[in-house]
């Protein structure tokens, strides 16, 4: 299974915001430079992240983005759900995990189990977990 660049970039950008923000607004231009992600692409992602109440924005001089709640309260699966349409391991599964085939396929159980494992893993990780790991790597 491969996550889209939307999910990857959103998580990377939010880790960068968590590490560098410290509660003060960070410009999307700065995040774009730190993460080497297109500014235009990040702007589109941050619209979704703001609508999903993951980040808050402020305008004007010194404006930018801050996390809408503590990093420890933002789970990775929430970030992905906010920017992605769905998180299922195969194309024939519906968003709720049911089989989209004409008849229940014999491999459905394995794909459903995989999807549940992926979601459980992503839900077990917070933005704070990733920020702590990121800070350790930066300190090396």
């Amino acid at each position: 299974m491969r996550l889209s660049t939307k999910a990857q970039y959103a998580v990377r950008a939010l880790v960068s915001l968590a590490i560098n923000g410290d509660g003060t607004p960070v410009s999307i231009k700065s995040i774009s430079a730190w993460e080497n992600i297109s500014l235009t692409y990040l702007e589109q992602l941050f619209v979704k992240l703001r609508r999903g109440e993951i980040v808050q924005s402020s305008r004007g001089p010194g404006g930018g983005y801050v996390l809408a709640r503590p990093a420890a309260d933002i789970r990775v699966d929430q970030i992905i759900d906010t920017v992605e349409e769905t998180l299922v391991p195969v194309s024939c599964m519906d968003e709720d995990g049911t089989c989209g085939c004409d008849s229940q396929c014999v491999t459905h159980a394995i794909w459903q189990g995989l999807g549940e494992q992926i979601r459980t893993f992503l839900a077990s990780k917070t933005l704070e977990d990733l920020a702590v790991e990121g800070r350790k790597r930066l300190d090396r």
Side-chain angles (χ1 to χ4, degrees), residues 84-140:
E84 287 285 342
E85 291 179 17
T86 183
L87 182 61
V88 293
V90 291
S91 62
C92 65
M93 287 181 73
D94 294 329
E95 288 183 35
D96 65 358
T98 59
C99 187
C101 300
D102 290 336
S103 62
Q104 185 80 3
C105 66
V106 295
T107 59
H108 176 76
I110 192 77
W111 305 130
Q112 186 175 25
L114 176 61
E116 290 168 3
Q117 290 287 328
I118 292 168
R119 179 154 297 281
T120 299
F121 175 75
L122 294 172
S124 74
K125 302 296 178 186
T126 67
L127 187 55
E128 180 64 23
D129 296 332
L130 300 179
V132 166
E133 181 62 30
R135 287 183 193 103
K136 286 179 187 175
R137 287 179 184 234
L138 290 173
D139 290 343
R140 289 183 200 153

Side-chain angles (χ1 to χ4, degrees), residues 26-47:
V26 175
S27 74
I28 200 162
K29 189 174 182 180
S30 295
I31 297 170
S32 172
W34 295 329
E35 294 300 322
N36 195 25
I37 300 172
S38 160
L39 179 61
T40 305
Y41 198 62
L42 272 183
E43 287 171 340
Q44 294 170 13
L45 290 177
F46 271 73
V47 166

